[in-house]
Amino acid sequence: MNVDRYLKELSGSSQRIPTEQSFHHFYLNFDEFKRPIDEIARRSQSMLESIGVTTHAWNTGVDFPSDIDDAYEWVVDMNDELLEWFDESVSEVRKAREEDEEFEEVELENGFGLVRVKKEGGGVGKKKVEAAGTTETTKPKVSFHLATVRKPQDVYDIVVNNTNVPFEHIWLEKSEDDQRFIHPLEKHSYLEFVDKNLEGLVPMKPPAMECTPFKLVEDVKGLKELAAKLRAADEFAVDLEHNQYRSFQGLTCLMQISTRTEDFIVDTLKLRVHVGPYLREVFKDPTKKKVLHGADRDIVWLQRDFGIYVCNMFDTGQAIPNVNSTLYAITTISPPPPPLLFTITFTITITTILRHFVDSLLAASRVLKLERFSLQYLLLHLCGVTANKEYQNADWRQRPLPDVMIRYGREDTHYLLYIYDQLRIKLFALSKESESSENPLVEVYKRSYDVCMQLYEKELLTEDSYLHIYGLLGAGFNAQQLAVVSFCYVSMYPVAKSFQDLDLLGLNEWRDILARSEDESTGFILPNKVLLEIAKQMPVTISGLRRLTSSKLPYVDHNLDVIVNIVRHAIQNAAPFEEAALRLKETYAAKMKEARLKAAQEASVVDAAPVEDGVEASHLLDFEHTPEEESTVIDNSTCVNISETLPFSYDLKEDCSQHEDMNGQVKIKSSCLTLELPQVVGGPIDAIADALSGDSASRNRLNPNEKVKEEIKLDRIRMSVKLEPVSAAVSADTVMIDSSIDSGCMTQNNLLGSE
Ligand code: AMP
Ligand code: ZN
Ligand code: MN
């Protein structure tokens, strides 16, 4: 965390505040000093009063006192409380992380999966265990990648077009000028989908999972029956499970659907080509409500894999706060009035530490889209269900699916319509209360509409793709190192396009071509971390390269000679990259400076924006007082919020530590050489200029400026919260929520029984 730095900056600036005697001297004699101080005092007073109103959030139960002497104690107490809370949270996370580090993954003897076992005295190598969950120290844990799974692309003849051309939405009409695709939703307004009258609506609880009919849809007949049931329903809940590690664009592995009375899971690998024809219509039908949670990715996966375009969707993830508003309010307070100089410094310090902590978490939750965390939050608070989330990251390609994974999949949609009922009732009530023109229910529909309107875009390799490799900007590479990475290398040697001389490519292009032709993720071919490490070290011998890479990267392993040649060529021909390297360094320095300035500004006392208490909060649903919550296991909302916002690496492609070897020949196929490569116009300098000035239209989704910002942000997040990517999420679970299926059921049964 950057706390040290902030603390130093803070104590540095606090030196500039006059000390007690001279403070009074200045205050009494100089109007220029007195005025801003009075203003700060006034603002602080009102801040503290509004914070006082929210003190129930951390159980102090004492409102901000009117007597200034009591106020002093109140602030000190509050600071103590905050510090303690902060301390506890940090040590909790640390403990969980340590626990996590004590475990390692080992392969089961039956070859079916991996389990987590406690490391034995730091010994290396794989240990065999008999079965998961047999001893106390053996904790079952799923792996996101099972090497034993045969690629579904081969098993089910799944054909995809990975060529370097934009995705064609063949199921959509095109505009008259042929320039864009027209989404069926364009004919509708989101207002059409807003519930008109919810007066008297009673949330409909689903029957317990055990009592709910369930169908695993694995054949066309089943799909046909499902389609018929959905045609008869007014609303249904949907979720998808996905794998992005072992294909270039990603594969939808499962589609979970729940109606009010039944659960279905469609094997979308097996039925891939049939899903669209049977289900396209009901998804498009604007009279049927589709309820999803955190649907950003699901929406585009449906388009990509099945040509399904969703009309009339309610995204339950759009209806909940990202973070406890009270917590956030507290961390944006202004300083107390002038007589409390000590407290000023103290409160500023605490405020700054916490604000940056919460900012990091917030940014993380937004950037990394922690939908699953918020679904757990809803399940817990609205359904009294402690959700199991062990499998969120599992390898969903495996077949047959273990029962626990089926159960997990069902859980994701089983309660969703019930959550939808409760949310819209709450939102409806809120919108009637609120006097402002903003209507929270309409707002959710508007955001859900926008989510549906997104169109899937294929990742394209362009002349500036390499600039977006995570970690490149901060790597401080020289020209040679940049040449090793760079795609632009090919622009100097256009011959590589036609000539089978892969050595003339940069590593980035090499792995891209391979990934497309083999239908693998670029992260599986050559993870960013390894790519940058090779560029950094520039090994020119095979043995040198071997020392850098693990044997678990099959494509690297089989192409050591190619990679070494790429490095050699790059070293010899790096001159054109001199300026690019310089520009990149300058840009990085400038961006860092900008980020630091911004952080300092945010932290500065005078700039601290007042908490618009009530304005922010009115958008948020208050779960603290829901009657449904009576039987929940955990009633501390802070707890849930922390777990909800813990950062972790979403990008599995980058986690290369768990690769397992594949069999067979993995050298590049000749077919990949017929790939359509992009037209390269400029050299590396142009690319950087384009990328950094935001002019380039070549990048998908994020414009380069955004990307740079995001990268810096992510850097900051990672610097400030030092947690191992995925394990952080796992640790958070372990600490915050007991994620066992049984307790989830128990809770739900209790709840159902309690009414
Ligand atoms: P969900 O919406 O939670 O059902 O997640 C859908 C898919 O997103 C999963 O099958 C994963 O492929 C991916 N996913 C969700 N959460 C994570 C995570 N924490 N890490 C990696 N992938 C995830
Ligand atoms: Zn989902
Ligand atoms: Mn899911």
Side-chain angles (χ1 to χ4, degrees):
M1 210 170 163
N2 273 335
V3 170
D4 277 356
R5 212 188 69 214
Y6 293 124
L7 277 177
K8 275 195 199 111
E9 277 173 23
L10 274 166
S11 66
S13 34
S14 73
Q15 305 278 314
R16 274 179 267 141
I17 304 177
T19 50
E20 204 148 350
Q21 246 184 345
S22 40
F23 184 95
H24 283 291
H25 171 73
F26 278 110
Y27 187 79
L28 295 173
N29 297 310
F30 297 98
D31 234 21
E32 297 86 336
F33 186 72
K34 187 173 183 298
R35 253 183 281 114
I37 293 294
D38 284 347
E39 172 56 19
I40 293 174
R42 193 193 57 73
R43 266 174 60 187
S44 309
Q45 175 87 17
S46 98
M47 274 321 69
L48 287 168
E49 274 163 17
S50 56
I51 291 161
V53 179
T54 62
T55 45
H56 66 268
W58 48 33
N59 310 322
T60 59
V62 187
D63 285 354
F64 184 67
S66 48
D67 184 322
I68 199 71
D69 290 330
D70 294 344
Y72 177 82
E73 276 186 10
W74 181 87
V75 172
V76 173
D77 282 351
M78 197 178 76
N79 280 336
D80 284 348
E81 194 110 6
L82 262 175
L83 266 183
E84 216 166 281
W85 167 80
F86 182 75
D87 223 38
E88 266 170 34
S89 310
V90 168
S91 59
E92 233 172 329
V93 170
R94 191 171 290 143
K95 196 173 123 227
R97 186 183 160 194
E98 278 164 12
E99 268 169 23
D100 205 58
E101 280 168 356
E102 281 172 37
F103 287 91
E104 65 180 340
E105 293 196 328
V106 295
E107 209 152 1
L108 285 175
E109 208 142 24
N110 60 16
F112 189 72
L114 295 169
V115 295
R116 262 159 54 106
V117 294
K118 242 186 174 148
K119 282 181 190 159
E120 248 173 43
V124 274
K126 287 185 175 179
K127 286 187 274 345
K128 302 280 182 199
V129 256
E130 282 173 20
T134 47
T135 69
E136 268 186 48
T137 52
T138 307
K139 197 176 164 201
K141 168 79 172 69
V142 275
S143 169
F144 77 95
H145 180 224
L146 298 181
T148 44
V149 172
R150 260 189 80 202
K151 285 184 80 171
Q153 294 97 314
D154 300 334
V155 178
Y156 304 112
D157 286 327
I158 294 172
V159 185
V160 284
N161 176 2
N162 290 335
T163 54
N164 199 35
V165 293
F167 183 82
E168 282 285 320
H169 290 269
I170 53 168
W171 293 97
L172 294 188
E173 287 171 24
K174 278 194 129 179
S175 60
E176 269 178 26
D177 60 3
D178 211 37
Q179 291 299 297
R180 53 176 209 96
F181 297 102
I182 300 176
H183 195 290
L185 255 186
E186 279 186 39
K187 288 196 219 102
H188 301 271
S189 153
Y190 57 87
L191 293 170
E192 288 172 38
F193 307 130
V194 182
D195 313 72
K196 298 295 173 294
N197 190 8
L198 292 171
E199 220 75 64
L201 180 89
V202 180
M204 197 191 231
K205 273 183 191 167
M209 293 238 296
E210 295 69 27
C211 317
T212 306
F214 168 70
K215 179 101 202 281
L216 182 64
V217 180
E218 293 180 294
D219 54 25
V220 173
K221 184 170 158 276
L223 199 57
K224 214 169 164 174
E225 285 164 11
L226 170 62
K229 286 192 170 145
L230 296 181
R231 273 195 295 275
D234 294 329
E235 61 218 341
F236 57 92
V238 185
D239 187 42
L240 304 177
E241 299 307 329
H242 185 260
N243 179 282
Q244 57 209 342
Y245 188 55
R246 296 304 308 273
S247 70
F248 185 74
Q249 300 181 65
L251 284 177
T252 303
C253 302
L254 288 188
M255 182 189 288
Q256 304 101 287
I257 293 184
S258 291
T259 64
R260 289 283 179 186
T261 51
E262 285 177 82
D263 295 333
F264 302 87
I265 290 188
V266 182
D267 184 339
T268 51
L269 291 175
K270 201 169 178 185
L271 296 175
R272 181 168 167 115
V273 295
H274 303 288
V275 172
Y278 283 99
L279 301 183
R280 194 169 293 127
E281 222 34 58
V282 284
F283 275 97
K284 189 179 159 190
D285 187 343
T287 65
K288 290 185 197 308
K289 185 86 66 204
K290 272 70 68 174
V291 180
L292 284 84
H293 181 88
D296 301 57
R297 290 165 300 154
D298 306 59
I299 288 294
V300 289
W301 294 339
L302 286 169
Q303 299 172 355
R304 180 196 64 200
D305 292 349
F306 317 114
I308 285 178
Y309 297 81
V310 183
C311 294
N312 192 359
M313 190 262 289
F314 184 98
D315 185 340
T316 53
Q318 302 290 353
I320 53 160
N322 267 329
V323 79
N324 183 319
S325 61
T326 318
L327 176 62
Y328 197 61
I330 281 154
T331 59
T332 49
I333 55 175
S334 285
L340 311 172
L341 252 193
F342 156 75
T343 326
I344 293 185
T345 328
F346 196 46
T347 309
I348 299 171
T349 310
I350 299 309
T351 302
T352 313
I353 296 172
L354 277 163
R355 205 165 81 199
H356 283 276
F357 184 68
V358 172
D359 269 353
S360 308
L361 296 178
L362 257 181
S365 79
R366 294 214 184 101
V367 174
L368 302 170
K369 303 221 175 74
L370 309 191
E371 283 101 11
R372 181 72 201 168
F373 285 108
S374 54
L375 178 58
Q376 276 198 307
Y377 180 81
L378 290 176
L379 282 169
L380 185 62
H381 286 262
L382 298 181
C383 310
V385 171
T386 312
N388 170 28
K389 56 188 275 190
E390 201 117 355
Y391 298 93
Q392 96 180 347
N393 211 343
D395 192 334
W396 288 98
R397 301 171 307 148
Q398 58 186 295
R399 297 291 183 274
L401 272 170
D403 287 347
V404 278
M405 286 174 72
I406 294 205
R407 185 173 171 109
Y408 173 97
R410 282 180 69 187
E411 238 174 29
D412 274 358
T413 54
H414 182 76
Y415 305 95
L416 218 47
L417 290 175
Y418 179 44
I419 289 175
Y420 154 69
D421 284 346
Q422 296 188 58
L423 286 177
R424 59 192 173 133
I425 289 170
K426 280 173 201 291
L427 290 165
F428 183 68
L430 258 181
S431 53
K432 282 209 311 191
E433 273 170 31
S434 89
E435 280 155 26
S436 72
S437 55
E438 273 178 54
N439 179 328
L441 183 61
V442 173
E443 187 57 29
V444 171
Y445 274 105
K446 182 173 182 307
R447 285 195 229 149
S448 303
Y449 180 95
D450 291 342
V451 170
C452 289
M453 284 289 282
Q454 308 173 86
L455 287 181
Y456 172 71
E457 284 179 60
K458 198 198 290 180
E459 192 73 35
L460 298 180
L461 183 75
T462 67
E463 75 243 43
D464 64 355
S465 291
Y466 78 102
L467 290 170
H468 305 284
I469 295 176
Y470 179 76
L472 180 86
L473 191 58
F477 280 172
N478 62 28
Q480 293 186 334
Q481 292 166 321
L482 216 48
V484 175
V485 179
S486 169
F487 155 74
C488 292
Y489 200 66
V490 81
S491 67
M492 255 77 66
Y493 299 91
V495 70
K497 282 188 217 173
S498 51
F499 188 57
Q500 301 201 359
D501 196 353
L502 293 167
D503 307 358
L504 291 181
L505 306 171
L507 286 179
N508 189 45
E509 188 178 32
W510 171 79
R511 76 166 175 178
D512 185 274
I513 290 178
L514 211 50
R516 285 177 203 271
S517 67
E518 298 285 324
D519 200 17
E520 294 287 1
S521 66
T522 50
F524 181 72
I525 305 279
L526 175 61
N528 282 349
K529 256 187 262 173
V530 184
L531 187 154
L532 294 177
E533 196 55 31
I534 296 174
K536 188 173 160 199
Q537 309 278 348
M538 296 191 287
V540 288
T541 60
I542 288 185
S543 58
L545 176 60
R546 244 199 217 111
R547 276 196 293 274
L548 288 185
T549 62
S550 91
S551 59
K552 288 179 175 178
L553 297 172
Y555 284 93
V556 170
D557 235 24
H558 287 86
N559 290 281
L560 292 169
D561 51 340
V562 176
I563 294 175
V564 164
N565 280 333
I566 287 176
V567 175
R568 287 187 192 156
H569 276 266
I571 291 174
Q572 283 159 16
N573 299 281
F577 285 87
E578 294 291 352
E579 206 185 325
L582 204 68
R583 288 275 294 276
L584 211 53
K585 278 182 194 159
E586 283 169 6
T587 312
Y588 183 65
K591 295 280 165 192
M592 286 314 275
K593 198 172 157 200
E594 196 182 297
R596 268 197 297 273
L597 255 169
K598 201 166 163 255
Q601 255 170 18
E602 279 170 11
S604 90
V605 186
V606 190
D607 286 352
V611 187
E612 290 170 35
D613 220 325
V615 177
E616 268 268 312
S618 74
H619 292 97
L620 311 172
L621 296 171
D622 180 8
F623 295 116
E624 253 136 7
H625 312 295
T626 48
E628 287 85 354
E629 209 196 326
E630 278 156 23
S631 61
T632 56
V633 193
I634 298 167
D635 60 7
N636 182 343
S637 60
T638 316
C639 199
V640 174
N641 273 299
I642 290 169
S643 71
E644 197 183 350
T645 50
L646 264 173
F648 68 101
S649 163
Y650 169 67
D651 194 355
L652 285 180
K653 291 178 181 181
E654 291 321 315
D655 195 336
C656 59
S657 56
Q658 297 175 65
H659 297 176
E660 293 293 336
D661 209 336
M662 308 180 351
N663 305 318
Q665 183 59 272
V666 284
K667 282 255 185 188
I668 192 160
K669 280 183 195 161
S670 59
S671 70
C672 77
L673 293 170
T674 61
L675 278 179
E676 295 177 53
L677 283 166
Q679 295 295 315
V680 178
V681 260
I685 315 287
D686 297 331
I688 291 178
D690 277 359
L692 300 176
S693 70
D695 288 345
S696 166
S698 49
R699 173 75 189 166
N700 277 338
R701 295 157 201 282
L702 288 173
N703 78 37
N705 264 336
E706 289 293 309
K707 188 74 187 174
V708 170
K709 272 191 231 147
E710 196 149 309
E711 186 162 324
I712 290 170
K713 201 168 191 180
L714 276 167
D715 255 342
R716 279 169 57 201
I717 294 166
R718 297 215 168 123
M719 279 191 294
S720 58
V721 190
K722 284 197 187 111
L723 291 167
E724 287 308 313
V726 174
S727 64
V730 173
S731 323
D733 304 342
T734 341
V735 178
M736 308 301 174
I737 296 170
D738 172 21
S739 58
S740 79
I741 297 172
D742 289 347
S743 69
C745 266
M746 285 279 294
T747 326
Q748 198 233 350
N749 292 339
N750 291 348
L751 176 76
L752 296 180
S754 71
E755 286 228 339

